[in-house]
Structure formats: C-alpha cells, structure tokens
C-alpha cells in the first residue's frame, strides 16, 4: 500500500511557494509583485518557514536576498514540489480536452498540504468518515476540502459508488503528481539534517524476490548500524505495483531482477551483478541419483515463477532450446518461503537464481542438479525514477548495496 503522508512531516506549501519566488526573483519586493502579495506577507512567509525548519535560508543584504548553504540544500526539492503541482492543471486540460489558458494560471487551490493530504487519504480509504477520523478532522471539513479541490480542478475527482468514494479518471490522473509533491516536501527535513552531518529519515525500498534473500538484508544491517537514526520500510509487491508506487514517490527505488526499461522513459536502471538460474531440489530427491536427469525432466513436477515474469520467459526459452517442452508447473509463485517449503517437503523441482536459496544450498538442505540452464542470465540491480532526487538515507542504502555486491565479486 502507498505510504500514509502525515501532516506533521510536511512544511507549508504557501511558504515554499514564497521561498521559490524569492530565490527566482532575487528579492522580496520582486517576489511580492509576482505573487500579488505584500512585501510584509512574503517576508513573514519566509520567516515562518525558517522557524519551522529551524534554519536560516537567506542572508539579507542591501542588494537583495542571498541563499545560505542550507537554503541551497532545500531549493531543489522545493522547486520540484511546486513544479509537480504546476503540471496538474495541464494534465487536467489534456484529459478534458479543454483550453490550456486556465492551466497557465497558478493553481492556488493546490497549495494547501492538509487539502492534498485529505485527497490522497480519500483515494486510499474511499470513505469520508474514515479520513476524518484518521486525520483528526470533522466530516464537514473533509467535504469542504474536497469541494475546493474539485472547484479548482473543474471536474469531480472522486465518485460515490456502492463500494465507497472511488477516484474518477481525473482523480487517478492527478494523484501520482500530488503524491510526488508531498513526498518531496517530506524529504526536506532529512536533507537539512544530512547537510548538518546527521543522517535521518525513512528509506522505502521495493524488494523483489532475488534481491531480498541476503543482499538487501546485509545492506540494511550496514546502513542501520552506521546511521541509527534511519528507518527502512520494504514493500514486497509484484513489479508492476512497485513501479506504480515508485512513480508516485512512495518508494525510493526497487532492488532485484531488472526489467527491460529501455522503452520506459520515466524509469532508469543500474545493473549491479548478473546470475544464471539453477535447477533446485531437496537433498535426497530421486533425480539426484539418476545418471540421465534430462530424460526425466519432462515428467517432473515444478514450482516456477509466475507466467508473466521475465524469469519464466527465460526458462521457457531455455527448455525449448534444450529440446524439452516448457514445463507446466503445479505451483506458480515468487514467494521464496513457499518455494523453499515445497522443495523441502516434496519431489518438486524449482528453477531459481542460486543467490535466492544460497543458504539452503550451502547447508545441503537443498541441492542444485547438475544441469546447466544456458541463457537464463538475469541482470540484478536498482530501478528508480529517471531524474529523481534520492533522499540522503536512500542514497546511503544504495551505496551499501553497491558495496555488498562488490564485496562478493559481482559488481559490474
């Protein structure tokens, strides 16, 4: 599930808007003109933001406002949050086939963290009363916030159905951008702490089966021992769900078997190592003593990756190349605990990367049958949003993942 974004983690969007404009214009007076606000209001917004973050963002000079080191530190995220919200009216205009004239106007209706949080939580729970209870608000306050958003959008964002309040097409279209904006704000305090030499915050990792057996745990142990203030949250969904969460900024990156992302412009990948698959069985499996295992494979009972996965496609092609019909598995699963139990307690066979069950193979509980599986080599590594700004904590975990792979001689 996408993460819950609590209001206490986030700074004020109107203050962020004022900060970005002062940087862009170089002075409070010019920013005030652009924002159609008084100089005192802009000055107060900057002061309140500095109080919230407990840092000085500007050095005041007779010639204008100059960013401090910490001001420079938060500027990229502040700009990204505003840019994400600026894109939303354009998305709606395209979706509704309307003129983009209105889309050029600044979307002030989006510059309220609580309002955005209410929308995201409604999309998640689909129940207005649950949102009110979860956020400590009255139900009329939730309804009023939604009404402001829908008036600004010019279209219904949620629809009442027998199954609750379901996001409309427009609601689904704008939800990822709102999530990305809120997640950029969420990282700002951790960015400041890192600049001061203190690594804190939460890393959210999409963990695919091959990577989460040992490499990811090793990297997490190193990270949390070195930086006790960091928390790690993992998500073990299928690739498609993890990619959707990553696009919304709800997870920082995915670690595991890489997909072909050459045609996916918003996802980039980094190969850390590659590995061929092996045939695995229990220690005293009947095939372990057979002289000609190949002849027995067509009659074997299999537990294999799900049919839509790259691993399954590689296996099918491998078996066909060896002159053996692609197996029709009894069980399809990517759950290693289930695969391990099935192999241990039955005569089933599995085809996995050696790394996935290396503990059991090293102990002798499971064995690798002496049949090579050519052309099943899979790249393992990191997937992340193209051009994303990793949080300091996520950057640190990525660094430890590279170290772990390099220490095992697998780094490419």
């Amino acid at each position: 599930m996408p993460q819950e974004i609590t209001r206490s983690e986030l700074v004020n969007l109107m203050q962020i808007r004022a900060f970005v404009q002062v940087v862009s214009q170089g002075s409070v007076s010019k920013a005030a003109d652009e924002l159609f606000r008084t100089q005192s209001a802009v000055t107060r917004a900057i002061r309140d933001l500095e109080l919230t973050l407990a840092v000085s963002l500007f050095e005041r000079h007779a010639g204008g406002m100059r960013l401090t080191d910490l001001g420079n530190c938060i500027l990229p995220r502040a700009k990204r949050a505003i840019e994400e919200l600026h894109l939303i009216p354009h998305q709606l205009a395209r979706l509704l086939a309307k003129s983009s004239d209105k889309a050029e106007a600044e979307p002030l209706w989006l510059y309220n963290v609580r309002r955005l949080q209410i929308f995201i939580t409604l999309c998640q729970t689909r129940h207005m009363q649950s949102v009110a209870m979860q956020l400590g608000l009255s139900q009329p306050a939730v309804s009023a916030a939604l009404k402001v958003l829908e008036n600004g959008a010019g279209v219904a964002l949620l629809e009442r159905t027998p199954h609750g309040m379901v996001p409309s097409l427009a609601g689904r279209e704008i939800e990822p951008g709102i999530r990305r904006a809120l997640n950029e704000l969420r990282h700002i305090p951790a960015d400041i702490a890192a600049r001061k030499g203190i690594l804190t915050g939460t890393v959210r990792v999409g963990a695919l089966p091959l990577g989460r057996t040992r490499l990811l745990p090793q990297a997490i142990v190193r990270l949390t021992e070195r930086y006790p203030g960091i928390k790690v949250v993992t998500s073990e969904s299928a690739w498609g769900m993890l990619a959707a969460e990553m696009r919304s900024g709800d997870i920082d990156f995915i670690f595991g078997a890489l997909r072909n992302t050459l045609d996916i412009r918003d996802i980039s990948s980094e190969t850390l190592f590659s590995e061929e698959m092996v045939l695995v069985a229990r220690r005293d499996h009947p095939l372990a003593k057979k002289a000609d295992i190949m002849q027995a494979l067509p009659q074997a009972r299999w537990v294999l990756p799900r049919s839509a996965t790259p691993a399954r496609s590689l296996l099918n092609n491998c078996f066909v190349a060896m002159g053996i019909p692609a197996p029709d598995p009894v069980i399809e699963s990517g759950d290693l605990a289930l695969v391990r139990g099935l192999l241990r307690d039955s005569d089933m066979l599995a085809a996995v990367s050696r790394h996935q069950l290396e503990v059991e193979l090293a102990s002798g509980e499971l064995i690798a049958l002496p049949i090579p599986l050519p052309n099943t080599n899979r790249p393992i590594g990191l997937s992340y949003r193209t051009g994303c700004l990793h949080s300091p904590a996520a950057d640190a975990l990525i660094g430890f993942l590279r170290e772990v792979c390099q220490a095992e001689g697998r780094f490419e």
Side-chain angles (χ1 to χ4, degrees), residues 318-340:
C318 171
F319 279 107
V320 170
M322 292 192 298
I324 302 173
D328 182 16
V330 178
I331 309 292
E332 293 186 356
S333 178
D335 186 326
L336 288 178
L338 179 63
V339 172
R340 185 187 303 113

Side-chain angles (χ1 to χ4, degrees), residues 70-374:
L70 290 171
N72 270 308
C73 171
I74 76 164
L75 180 61
R77 288 207 193 279
K79 290 175 68 174
R80 280 175 181 252
I82 296 299
E83 288 165 1
E84 289 288 357
L85 297 180
H86 276 191
L87 288 174
I88 286 174
H90 295 278
Q91 291 176 291
L92 291 171
R94 287 195 301 271
L95 182 68
L96 302 174
K98 289 185 176 180
S99 167
S100 61
D101 293 343
K102 185 179 178 182
E104 296 300 328
E106 197 171 15
L108 296 179
W109 51 281
L110 289 169
Y111 292 155
N112 183 289
V113 164
R114 178 175 288 188
R115 197 177 294 150
L116 300 184
Q117 181 190 18
I118 287 170
F119 170 69
I120 293 298
T121 313
L122 272 172
C123 290
Q124 197 170 326
T125 66
R126 304 188 175 188
H127 189 236
M128 198 166 288
Q129 188 174 353
S130 297
V131 173
M133 292 177 62
Q134 188 171 323
L135 300 182
L137 302 170
S138 67
Q139 192 164 326
V142 174
S143 298
L146 179 60
K147 186 174 182 180
V148 171
L149 288 173
E150 292 187 323
N151 286 342
V155 64
L157 299 176
L158 290 109
E159 300 168 346
R160 293 184 181 275
T161 74
H163 304 291
M165 299 190 71
V166 178
S168 66
L169 180 59
R172 295 194 301 273
E173 180 74 13
I174 72 173
E175 183 187 2
I178 290 177
R179 281 191 169 277
R180 284 193 295 270
L182 293 178
N183 279 309
E184 293 292 359
L185 298 182
R186 177 174 59 84
H187 288 310
I188 286 177
D191 286 345
I192 292 173
R195 187 60 64 94
K196 294 178 177 180
I198 304 168
L199 228 57
T200 62
T202 300
V203 190
R204 291 176 167 88
V205 186
L208 292 170
L210 196 148
R212 65 179 180 242
T213 306
R214 190 164 66 85
L215 291 178
L216 182 58
Q218 279 191 355
I220 290 173
V221 167
R222 294 188 186 190
L223 174 76
T224 53
E225 286 180 347
R226 177 78 176 274
Y227 305 109
I230 291 179
K231 177 181 178 182
V232 180
V233 178
T234 66
S235 178
E236 292 77 25
S237 303
W239 164 263
M241 294 180 66
L242 292 178
E245 289 187 57
M246 187 168 66
R247 286 187 170 102
S248 296
D250 289 326
I251 61 175
D252 297 298
F253 62 89
I254 300 171
F255 179 64
L258 299 179
R259 269 50 176 179
N260 181 6
T261 58
L262 293 178
D263 298 325
I264 307 175
R265 297 169 66 182
D266 64 337
I267 295 180
S268 300
S269 61
E270 175 185 345
T271 300
L272 297 183
F273 69 95
S274 58
E275 191 168 62
E276 282 193 342
M277 304 179 80
V278 294
L279 288 184
V280 181
R282 63 182 173 86
R283 178 170 44 207
D284 51 352
H285 194 285
L287 287 183
K289 299 178 181 178
K290 275 190 172 288
D292 192 353
I293 300 175
M294 290 284 287
Q295 290 185 350
L297 289 183
Q299 288 76 46
R301 301 173 76 238
W302 295 86
V303 50
L304 292 177
R306 288 182 291 271
S307 58
T309 60
R312 182 68 176 278
S313 177
L314 287 173
L315 283 169
N316 287 346
N317 293 338
C318 171
F319 279 107
V320 170
M322 292 192 298
I324 302 173
D328 182 16
V330 178
I331 309 292
E332 293 186 356
S333 178
D335 186 326
L336 288 178
L338 179 63
V339 172
R340 185 187 303 113
L342 290 169
L343 293 178
R344 187 186 58 221
D345 299 332
S346 75
D347 285 340
M348 289 187 188
L349 301 180
V352 299
S353 293
R354 181 182 294 274
H355 203 78
Q356 290 179 278
L357 295 173
E358 63 181 331
V359 173
E360 292 78 8
L361 290 169
S363 70
E365 181 183 8
L366 299 177
I367 60 170
L369 297 178
I371 293 186
L373 297 177

Side-chain angles (χ1 to χ4, degrees), residues 19-20 22-24 56-61 64-76:
F19 168 70
V20 170
V22 170
V23 174
S24 174
S56 294
L57 299 174
F58 292 98
E59 294 175 355
R60 277 74 172 174
H61 295 274
M65 307 275 281
R66 184 182 303 164
L67 275 174
T68 63
D69 180 56
L70 290 171
N72 270 308
C73 171
I74 76 164
L75 180 61

